[in-house]
Amino acid sequence: MEKLNHSIRLPGGASCVGTARSAVRSLVTRHDLGELSDTAALAVSELVACAHWFTPDKEMMLKIRWQFGALRIVVYDQHPVHSSPEVSEECRRRRSRGMWLLAAAVGTSGGDWGLTPVMTSAGGSKSWALLPG
Ligand SMILES: [Zn+2]
């Protein structure tokens, strides 16, 4: 089986949620991981919707990879740098709370998820979900 390792550029805008969801569904199905299809579709919807909410109409990068017995879904967005670490942490907390549905779905499947700032001068954040196969 060809190894699943894909990057998809999402142009931003509300429609990118649907684009990401169908891309992930078709990728996992093509790689014989169809049993992960529903959870993966939910996870990518939540990750992309939340990134879109915090960085509307900005391009994002979606990476989906099968490695070490788990499906890894990662979204890089262009979240701006905040003026202080406190504001940044409060924003991260608020955004994490917004991903309660992802947390529930990933928890049920024995996986994990997270949200971290990406340390570049332009800002950016990385949100991800890990789903065991
Ligand atoms: Zn913020």
Side-chain angles (χ1 to χ4, degrees):
M1 182 174 69
E2 180 210 344
K3 222 171 164 212
L4 173 50
N5 188 359
H6 255 75
S7 297
I8 300 163
R9 196 182 65 82
L10 298 170
S15 67
C16 63
V17 177
T19 307
R21 192 169 40 221
S22 37
V24 166
R25 266 197 195 283
S26 97
L27 278 172
V28 295
T29 305
R30 254 192 286 147
H31 287 81
D32 295 331
L33 300 165
E35 72 279 4
L36 288 175
S37 181
D38 289 343
T39 317
L42 188 148
V44 78
S45 296
E46 291 299 299
L47 291 170
V48 171
C50 202
H52 170 67
W53 182 257
F54 279 77
T55 59
D57 302 321
K58 295 260 198 185
E59 193 180 300
M60 296 173 222
M61 183 61 79
L62 166 66
K63 288 178 186 274
I64 173 160
R65 182 164 63 152
W66 173 260
Q67 195 176 42
F68 309 140
L71 188 69
R72 288 142 208 274
I73 302 171
V74 186
V75 174
Y76 292 94
D77 65 37
Q78 301 184 64
H79 186 284
V81 182
H82 284 294
S83 51
S84 77
E86 290 76 25
V87 176
S88 184
E89 180 53 28
E90 175 51 30
C91 178
R92 200 188 68 84
R93 265 202 298 270
R94 209 149 38 90
R95 184 165 160 179
S96 298
R97 279 198 298 272
M99 292 199 277
W100 61 272
L101 184 57
L102 172 69
V106 165
T108 304
S109 73
D112 199 6
W113 70 285
L115 170 66
T116 51
V118 175
M119 295 301 169
T120 70
S121 54
S125 53
K126 171 185 175 179
S127 51
W128 53 270
L130 182 146
L131 308 171

